């Protein structure tokens, strides 16, 4: 997947995130239990990603990639912010390890 936005996630019963940058919005990681935006707090085991589009009509694809070994995609899906400019992934709780979260808005040609 060509990458428009990337958040780096590390997890060993702990999830650390780097900044998420997207061409037309941002993605924030939320604790699935409290629903709080975790910012740079590295202590999240179950989470979801929320897409906040500057254009309320943005859609695309996302992937959660294991960043150890062969960089296997462990979860993926589509998002669509049509209507209110926000979309969320299902709750994600991958095995302990290091992960990278990538997303690409439809029609974006970033590489």
């Amino acid at each position: 997947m060509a990458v428009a936005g990337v958040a780096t996630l590390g997890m060993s019963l702990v999830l650390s995130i780097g900044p998420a940058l997207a061409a037309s919005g941002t993605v924030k990681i939320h604790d699935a239990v409290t629903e709080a935006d975790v910012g740079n707090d590295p202590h999240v085991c179950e989470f979801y990603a929320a897409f906040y589009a500057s254009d309320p009509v943005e859609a695309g694809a996302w992937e959660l990639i294991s960043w150890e070994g062969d960089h296997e995609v462990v979860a993926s899906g589509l998002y669509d912010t049509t209507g209110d400019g926000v979309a969320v992934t299902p709750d994600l709780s991958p095995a302990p390890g290091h992960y990278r979260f990538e997303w690409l808005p439809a029609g974006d040609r970033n590489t």
Side-chain angles (χ1 to χ4, degrees), residues 54-94:
S54 53
D55 177 353
V57 181
E58 179 181 298
W62 62 268
E63 294 180 338
L64 182 64
I65 302 165
S66 173
W67 214 237
E68 299 169 346
D70 63 0
H71 298 178
E72 174 186 359
V73 174
V74 297
S76 64
L78 301 174
Y79 70 94
D80 185 349
T81 65
T82 301
D84 63 1
V86 179
V88 299
T89 66
D91 289 352
L92 303 169
S93 53

Side-chain angles (χ1 to χ4, degrees), residues 38-64:
V38 298
N40 286 325
D41 181 357
H43 302 281
V44 179
C45 293
E46 184 175 3
F47 66 95
Y48 64 89
F51 300 85
Y52 299 93
S54 53
D55 177 353
V57 181
E58 179 181 298
W62 62 268
E63 294 180 338
L64 182 64

